[in-house]
Each structure stands twice: as structure tokens, then as C-alpha cells.
Amino acid sequence: MSVHAVEKVFWEFGNKPARIDEFRRDPEAYLGRYNLTPEERAMVRNVDLKALAEHGVSTLLTIMVWPLLKGADEMPFDYLVHMNDGKLPDMGMTGFKAIGLKGYIRFRQLRAALRRALGRGGPARAGA
């Protein structure tokens, strides 16, 4: 397994975002250019943040690429949710502040999902 190869994919996405469109059209063909294991291909294809971090991939690269792949509406809170086993970290908030923040995040997620479903705003997801 090569962390370097996975990081190269993400670096090239950030360096030339037009490559993301090519990746979306045919993820397997795109990733075939890189010396990746099947597990690494799946991590990249699914943007599995937790697995990528555990594999040793720089979280600076994943946070750079996340909005390019997922859209700005899913940033930054969805990134935190994915990195925290599906839960939003409490960030020291309690009571109404925590409830309000979580409600706001859910609203943005719903809005982003509706936009994707209607074909407006935000990039399409790979494999979707």
C-alpha cells in the first residue's frame, strides 16, 4: 500500500480541479493510472475520510479536496461528522447553542441533498 499514491490523487485534484470531472465520469479508469490497492481505490472513490486518515493520508489534503468533491454546502460540518464516526463533535457547546448548530447543519444537509436531486448547485457525487 502506498500512502504517497493516494495523496498524489488528492494533490492532483486540488492542483487541477478539472480532473475531478474526469474522475466522476469513470472513477475506475481514472484511478487505474495510479498504483493503488483495491482498498485504496475504494477509499478514494468513496471519499472515506476515516479510512483515509487511518491509512496515513494527510488530513490537510482530504480537507482541501472534500469541498471540491462534495460541494461547499457540505463543508465544514459534514467533514467533521465523517471524521468523528458519524457524529458531530460537541465542540464544547451545550443547550440551545448545540441544538441550534445541529439544526442549522441538518438544514444545510437537506438543502444540499435537494439541490443535488434537482440537479442544481454543487458537484455530483462519484458513483452516485
Side-chain angles (χ1 to χ4, degrees):
M1 292 189 191
S2 171
V3 171
H4 174 73
V6 175
E7 289 182 339
K8 185 175 180 181
V9 173
F10 285 140
W11 178 258
E12 290 178 355
F13 283 163
N15 193 33
K16 292 192 178 183
R19 292 179 182 187
I20 292 172
D21 293 331
E22 187 180 345
F23 168 74
R24 283 195 186 104
R25 281 191 297 276
D26 190 350
E28 288 306 315
Y30 186 89
L31 295 175
R33 302 179 201 163
Y34 300 88
N35 188 21
L36 300 171
T37 66
E39 294 82 12
E40 290 167 335
R41 281 191 185 96
M43 284 186 261
V44 172
R45 191 176 48 251
N46 299 322
V47 196
D48 187 341
L49 297 173
K50 192 78 170 177
L52 288 160
E54 289 170 358
H55 189 58
V57 173
S58 167
T59 54
L60 291 175
L61 281 174
T62 60
I63 202 166
M64 173 185 74
V65 171
W66 179 263
L68 297 173
L69 290 169
K70 300 292 187 174
D73 272 346
E74 300 209 23
M75 185 70 183
F77 297 108
D78 273 355
Y79 183 89
L80 293 173
V81 167
H82 284 269
M83 289 298 285
N84 195 43
D85 296 322
K87 297 178 223 119
L88 181 68
D90 67 16
M91 297 179 279
M93 292 186 189
T94 58
F96 290 115
K97 284 183 181 179
I99 292 168
L101 177 62
K102 288 181 181 180
Y104 172 72
I105 292 165
R106 297 297 173 239
F107 165 76
R108 285 184 59 110
Q109 290 171 326
L110 179 60
R111 183 178 70 177
L114 286 171
R115 284 181 173 173
R116 279 191 306 275
L118 297 173
R120 290 191 238 144
R125 291 179 188 250

